[in-house]
Amino acid sequence: MRKLRIAFLARSFSPQTRSYIPLVIRALEELGAVVDIINPAEGVTDLSNVRVEHDLYVLKQQSDLPFSLAGALHAQGAAIVNPYPVSLALRDKIVMSRILQAAGVPTPATYVTSHPDELAPLLEAGPLIVKPYQGTGGHGIRIIRSAAELADVPASKDPVLAQRYHPPQGPDRKMCSIGGRIFGVKKVFPRRTEAEKQGEPFSPTPELCEIARRCGQAFGIDLYGVDIIESDGTPYVVDMNSIPGFKSVPDAPLRLAKYFHAAAERAARGQPLFESAVPTEAVSTEVVR
Ligand SMILES: Nc1ncnc2c1ncn2[C@@H]1O[C@H](COP(=O)(O)OP(=O)(O)O)[C@@H](O)[C@H]1O
Ligand SMILES: [Mg+2]
């Protein structure tokens, strides 16, 4: 059989990088795949050369240019993990939150506005947390308790997402799925030290596993991360990511390499990208595949 070709839409990695992607690539090569990194941030890309030349593309980089190229490849029928429409939905907290809500996932009440000062009446029921609608890594997150704090939210042409703030009991429960297998790690927020960034793996309760699975089903995917907080004994999903860090997962590079290799094999055979059963009533299954 010919060798599988897999491309990562990602940045370049220095030899000192702490990213797991180079380890995944090495493991894929050991499995016999040919792997390329496509980093459009370097040099000039002639769009007429953007065509499907790989069995599978991995959209790891969430910045604009790799994302747009993924869209251009998707339009030409490329197999992408995660599929372009899903990655797009997960990159936008407005779309993501509504899809999770509609799937019955427990999420905090969520609002969106172009004028943060108009959120003031919502403060009567308690504090809010505002987030950039396309934010990552905790950047731009603020807890808002008063109209004065609202007035301090920097003006922006972008919409602002506001959620009911549920004071977390303990650290975030960050859950991730690789091919439907669920892993959990506890991490405080915000994280400063290396140990805090690493977090502490834990065995998630069946309830947390079920919530995490429902998030995946809502988008028809089985490779993702979700951030869950627990407040007053109730879990809330506050965030979902397409391809998170997977730092705490044992043997993550090998697991991911096997996952991508199997996905590329299926794509090469013209089969669906995802192996795990995703219920047909999943909100976006028809749209995203
Ligand atoms: N509604 C909320 N109530 C309480 N804490 C929250 C809420 N939303 C987010 N957080 C906290 O803020 C952190 C960052 O928010 P998140 O939505 O995950 O943004 P990012 O995309 O930047 O990771 C979460 O990991 C969690 O600790
Ligand atoms: Mg998060």
Side-chain angles (χ1 to χ4, degrees):
M1 203 188 115
R2 71 172 178 83
K3 288 190 166 199
L4 291 171
R5 295 179 60 88
I6 300 175
F8 283 72
L9 288 160
R11 61 186 168 83
S12 307
F13 299 97
S14 75
Q16 293 78 34
T17 182
R18 278 188 283 178
S19 166
Y20 61 87
I21 295 295
L23 299 174
V24 177
I25 291 175
R26 202 175 316 149
L28 275 169
E29 287 168 345
E30 278 164 18
L31 290 171
V34 175
V35 185
D36 296 310
I37 294 183
I38 299 177
N39 175 14
E42 276 172 6
V44 175
T45 302
D46 178 346
L47 288 182
S48 67
N49 290 333
V50 175
R51 58 175 72 91
V52 182
E53 291 172 331
H54 296 80
D55 298 297
L56 184 76
Y57 292 83
V58 180
L59 178 53
K60 170 62 185 154
Q61 190 74 348
Q62 298 289 304
S63 51
D64 289 348
L65 187 46
F67 222 87
S68 294
L69 284 186
L73 288 164
H74 168 75
Q76 296 177 65
I80 306 178
V81 170
N82 279 309
Y84 176 71
V86 174
S87 300
L88 203 58
L90 287 174
R91 193 187 187 210
D92 180 329
K93 290 188 194 303
I94 301 170
V95 182
M96 178 241 293
S97 301
R98 186 62 189 118
I99 290 177
L100 291 178
Q101 281 180 350
V105 170
T107 53
T110 303
Y111 309 89
V112 64
T113 182
S114 296
H115 307 285
D117 53 320
E118 291 182 12
L119 295 167
L122 293 169
L123 290 171
E124 282 162 27
L128 296 169
I129 184 164
V130 297
K131 319 179 181 186
Y133 84 111
Q134 284 193 329
T136 56
H139 299 296
I141 303 261
R142 289 171 178 231
I143 299 165
I144 304 287
R145 295 194 161 82
S146 65
E149 285 173 335
L150 261 188
D152 276 351
V153 174
S156 160
K157 60 177 174 38
D158 289 336
V160 164
L161 188 101
Q163 265 181 351
R164 184 58 64 200
Y165 177 70
H166 294 283
Q169 282 156 340
D172 287 1
R173 275 66 159 170
K174 288 172 102 65
M175 316 282 291
C176 66
S177 161
I178 302 180
R181 173 125 188 238
I182 306 285
F183 302 88
V185 59
K186 291 183 183 173
K187 284 190 191 182
V188 293
F189 180 84
R191 302 174 263 286
R192 293 186 185 88
T193 66
E194 209 38 54
E196 284 175 353
K197 286 180 189 162
Q198 197 64 32
E200 190 193 323
F202 75 107
S203 300
T205 59
E207 184 192 17
L208 288 183
C209 288
E210 173 52 30
I211 291 174
R213 283 213 178 83
R214 205 182 300 168
C215 295
Q217 286 164 358
F219 289 87
I221 57 173
D222 61 9
L223 185 75
Y224 57 89
V226 288
D227 297 346
I228 301 180
I229 56 148
E230 288 189 346
S231 184
D232 274 340
T234 306
Y236 296 93
V237 172
V238 297
D239 192 20
M240 180 162 172
N241 299 288
S242 174
I243 304 190
F246 297 116
K247 257 192 200 139
S248 58
V249 174
D251 300 323
L254 187 58
R255 276 181 208 278
L256 288 164
K258 287 182 178 162
Y259 178 90
F260 292 134
H261 194 269
E265 269 178 343
R266 287 192 295 275
R269 283 193 231 112
Q271 294 171 342
L273 212 42
F274 299 100
E275 192 176 33
S276 11
V278 174
T280 44
E281 70 269 23
V283 174
S284 43
T285 314
E286 292 308 315
V287 185
V288 299
R289 291 234 171 137

